Amino acid sequence: MAVPVAFFALFFAYPVAAIVGRGLKADGAWQFGRFGEVLSDPGIQHVLWFTTWQALASTALTLLIALPGAYVFARFDFPGKQVLRAVVTVPFVLPTVVAGSAFLALLGRGGLLDEAWGVRLDTTVWAILLAHVFFNYAVVVRTVGGLWSQLDPRQEEAARMLGASRFAAWRTVTLPALGPAVAAAALMVFLFTFSSFGVVLILGGPAFSTLEVEIYRQTAQLLALDTAAVLTMVQFVAVCGILAVHAWTVRRREATLKLVDPARTARKPRGVGQWALLGGVLATVALLIVLPLGVLVQRSFATAEGFGLGYFRALTSAEGGAFLVPPIDAVWNSLEYAVVATAIAVLIGGLAAVALTRRAGRFVRGFDALLMLPLGVSAVTVGFGFLITLDKPPLDLRASWILVPLAQALVGVPFVVRTMLPVLRAVDGRLREVAAVLGASPWRVWREVDLPMVRRALIIAAGFAFAVSLGEFGATVFIARPDNPTLPVAVATLLGRAGELNYGQAMALSTLLMLVCGASLLLLERIRTDRTGEF
C-alpha cells in the first residue's frame, strides 16, 4: 500500500495541490473570494451549464444507443464476436483528439456529409454528443454486458412460465439485477463527458467549452491561474461526488448478485426478432463507429493528386515546420513512452490491487476511489502542475523524458486496478493461508498461488494500460517536448495549423494510431475471458 500511496501523493496530489495553491494565493494569503468572483461571471456560468448539460445528454444518448448492444454481446453467440468487441472498444482507447478528428472528417466543413449532402455539424452540440457516444459506447457494452452475460436466464424464464409477459419478466427480474451495472456505466460515461477535452476542443469551436477546455484556455492562453484554480476545484468536487456514488454502485453489484458462467448464457439468435436486433446493433456499430473511423482512413489517403500515400510520405520530413523532427518520430516516441508507462502502471496498479484485496475498512475504500481520480480530475492541471513542481532537486524532472510516462501511468493505473481486482478477490484466501503455514514467504505465496491465477488478467491489464497511455493528451500537451512529441500532441498540433498538407498528415497519424490500438485490442480479445476484470 505504501508504494501506490506515495506514487499518487507525489505525482498526482502534490502537482494538483501546488497549481491550485499558486492560483489561489496572493502575498501569502488565500484568496477564497475568487470563488465568488469567478463563479458569478456569466461566461463561466455558461461553461458550467454547458458542461453539465452536454454530459447529461451524452450519458442518456449513450445508454439509449448502447444498451441493445450490451444485450447482444451478453446473450448472443455469433461469428466475429471477438473482432466486433475489439472494434467497439477502439474509440475508447483512442485519443479524444482523434475521435474529434474522425467526426470532423465526417461532419465538418468539407467532410463526407458536407460534400455528399451539404450537412455540416462541426460547431453544433449534435456533433459533440455523437462523438461522445462514439467514445463511450464500449463503456456501456462492457460494464453492463459483462454483468448481463453472467445473470442466470432461468430466473427470467421462470417468471414467464408463471404468466409474465416478456417485457414484464425483463422489467421485474432482469432490470433490477442490472440496475447497479447500468448506474455504474452511466456514472462513468458522465464522468468522461463531464471532463471532456479533446472532443470539445476540436468540435466545439468558440461557442462551446467544457470545464476542462476552459481550464486549458485560462492556463495556457490567458495565464489566469486563479481562475483555472477555481475551476479545477469545482471539477474536483464534482468528480469526487461522482466517484463516491460509483463506488457505492460497484459494491452493491458485487454484494447482491449470484452470477453464472457466461458460456452458459450466450446462444445463437433465434427467431426474426432476435436476428433483427442483432442486425440493428451491427448497423449501429457500422454507422456510429466504423463509418467515422473509415472516413478518417479515407482522408489519410485522399491527397490533392488523388488517392495515394502522399500524406504518409510527408510524415518522414520536418519541412512543414510544425515540429523540430519528422512527424513520424511521434509514432516511435509514443510507443517508447507507452511501454515505460505500462510498466509503471502495472507495478503501481498491481500493488494497489493486492493491497485492496487483503485489507478492508474505510481507508481502503477511500484509496480505491482515489485511484480513479486521474480519470476525471483535470489532466491539464496535472500536466501544468508537473512543470511547476517537479523542477527542483531531488525531483528535477522537467527536462527529463520520464515525465511523459509518469503522466500517462496515472491514467493507466485505474484500468490495471479495475481489471485485476475482481480476479484477485476471486482467489480462495485459504490457499494463501495453507502456503503460509507450510513456510512460504509472502513473495513466494504471491508467486505460487496468486500469479498463476491472475496471469491472464495481468496481461490484459497491461494491454489496456498500453492502449490508454498511447492516447493520453490532456497532460502530455503541456509536458511533451517539441523534439519528442507524442502522437496525440502531434495530431492536435497539425489540426491547429492551416493547410491541406497539415490536415492530411493529422489524418495519417490518426490512422496509424488507430491501427496500433485496434491490433492491441484484438490481441487482448483473443486472450481475455468474459470474467476477467470489471471493464
Side-chain angles (χ1 to χ4, degrees):
M1 179 73 81
V3 174
V5 169
F7 178 82
F8 272 83
L10 186 59
F11 297 113
F12 178 70
Y14 176 46
V16 172
I19 197 72
V20 170
R22 180 166 295 195
L24 293 179
K25 267 189 175 183
D27 299 324
W30 290 96
Q31 305 296 315
F32 292 112
R34 284 297 293 158
F35 278 88
E37 296 173 9
V38 171
L39 297 179
S40 62
D41 182 272
I44 298 299
Q45 290 178 352
H46 176 75
V47 169
L48 292 172
W49 173 85
F50 178 72
T51 300
T52 305
W53 182 91
Q54 63 82 25
L56 288 171
S58 296
T59 302
L61 191 60
T62 302
L63 289 175
L64 179 66
I65 294 175
L67 281 175
Y71 175 80
V72 165
F73 278 102
R75 293 304 198 203
F76 293 169
D77 186 19
F78 52 90
K81 183 176 178 179
Q82 286 186 339
V83 174
L84 190 63
R85 191 193 298 270
V87 168
V88 302
T89 310
V90 166
F92 181 74
V93 298
L94 280 178
T96 52
V97 292
V98 175
S101 303
F103 275 81
L104 189 65
L106 178 64
L107 304 173
R109 186 183 303 276
L112 179 65
L113 297 187
D114 185 21
E115 292 179 348
W117 298 294
V119 177
R120 188 166 67 239
L121 301 174
D122 51 317
T123 57
T124 67
V125 176
W126 273 111
I128 295 172
L129 297 183
L130 289 174
H132 282 160
V133 177
F134 165 86
F135 185 73
N136 292 290
Y137 186 90
V139 176
V140 177
V141 167
R142 286 182 173 266
T143 304
V144 179
L147 178 64
W148 211 334
S149 67
Q150 297 178 69
L151 294 181
D152 193 342
R154 292 175 298 182
Q155 296 177 347
E156 190 172 319
E157 293 169 1
R160 295 200 63 197
M161 290 182 63
L162 293 174
S165 65
R166 183 182 296 275
F167 176 76
W170 180 83
R171 179 176 56 83
T172 58
V173 177
T174 304
L175 183 59
L178 286 176
V182 174
L187 286 166
M188 290 309 297
V189 173
F190 183 85
L191 174 66
F192 292 140
T193 53
F194 185 84
S195 57
S196 181
F197 180 47
V199 167
V200 180
L201 186 67
I202 291 176
L203 296 175
F208 302 105
S209 179
T210 57
L211 266 174
E212 185 76 352
V213 173
E214 188 64 20
I215 291 170
Y216 174 74
R217 190 175 76 89
Q218 295 288 340
T219 302
Q221 299 176 8
L222 303 179
L223 297 179
L225 294 185
D226 53 348
T227 302
V230 170
L231 298 180
T232 297
M233 290 302 297
V234 171
Q235 186 170 339
F236 179 79
V237 171
V239 168
C240 286
I242 295 169
L243 290 178
V245 178
H246 177 266
W248 176 75
T249 61
V250 170
R251 288 197 301 272
R252 220 179 122 198
R253 179 178 61 187
E254 292 176 346
T256 60
L257 296 179
K258 184 177 181 181
L259 307 178
V260 299
D261 186 351
R264 293 169 48 191
T265 64
R267 63 179 184 273
K268 291 183 178 181
R270 293 178 296 187
V272 176
Q274 291 189 355
W275 280 107
L277 178 59
L278 175 59
V281 169
L282 293 177
T284 300
V285 172
L287 292 174
L288 181 68
I289 297 176
V290 177
L291 179 60
L293 295 178
V295 171
L296 189 129
V297 174
Q298 181 264 338
R299 294 289 171 175
S300 69
F301 288 99
T303 67
E305 295 77 24
F307 280 89
L309 299 174
Y311 292 142
F312 289 91
R313 293 193 189 99
L315 296 177
T316 62
S317 172
E319 292 180 1
F323 306 100
L324 299 177
V325 296
I328 193 65
D329 285 6
V331 177
W332 313 119
N333 293 336
S334 289
L335 291 175
E336 291 171 358
Y337 287 146
V339 168
V340 178
T342 299
I344 297 172
V346 169
L347 174 63
I348 301 299
L351 290 174
V354 171
L356 291 171
T357 304
R358 300 187 180 184
R359 301 185 183 184
R362 290 185 178 180
F363 174 78
V364 173
R365 289 197 298 269
F367 182 64
D368 190 9
L370 173 67
L371 294 173
M372 298 289 288
L373 279 177
L375 296 180
V377 170
S378 172
V380 170
T381 301
V382 174
F384 195 53
F386 270 30
L387 293 181
I388 69 170
T389 57
L390 304 178
D391 61 344
K392 298 176 183 178
L395 281 175
D396 187 2
L397 303 177
R398 191 162 54 177
S400 173
W401 63 271
I402 195 66
L403 210 57
V404 173
L406 286 172
Q408 293 173 339
L410 284 172
V411 182
V413 167
F415 290 93
V416 174
V417 174
R418 297 266 74 80
T419 301
M420 293 187 62
L421 193 57
V423 182
L424 284 170
R425 284 175 173 165
V427 177
D428 193 337
R430 292 173 296 183
L431 296 176
R432 301 189 186 104
E433 295 171 1
V434 170
V437 168
L438 294 176
S441 64
W443 164 245
R444 188 174 181 184
V445 170
W446 160 255
R447 190 184 67 208
E448 301 290 344
V449 177
D450 293 82
L451 184 58
M453 297 186 181
V454 303
R455 184 182 291 113
R456 186 185 296 268
L458 188 63
I459 294 173
I460 293 172
F464 269 113
F466 178 80
V468 298
S469 296
L470 278 176
E472 206 289 319
F473 173 64
T476 51
V477 71
F478 276 96
I479 58 181
R481 293 161 50 183
D483 58 341
N484 284 288
T486 64
L487 268 171
V489 172
V491 171
T493 302
L494 289 167
L495 285 174
R497 294 171 65 91
E500 183 180 338
L501 179 61
N502 288 317
Y503 178 81
Q505 288 183 95
M507 296 297 106
L509 282 177
S510 298
T511 298
L512 292 175
L513 183 53
M514 180 189 70
L515 291 175
V516 172
C517 291
S520 301
L521 290 170
L522 188 58
L523 179 62
L524 291 181
E525 287 302 323
R526 294 183 65 87
I527 63 175
R528 80 183 289 273
T529 63
D530 285 331
R531 303 186 71 171
T532 300
E534 295 177 4
F535 181 70

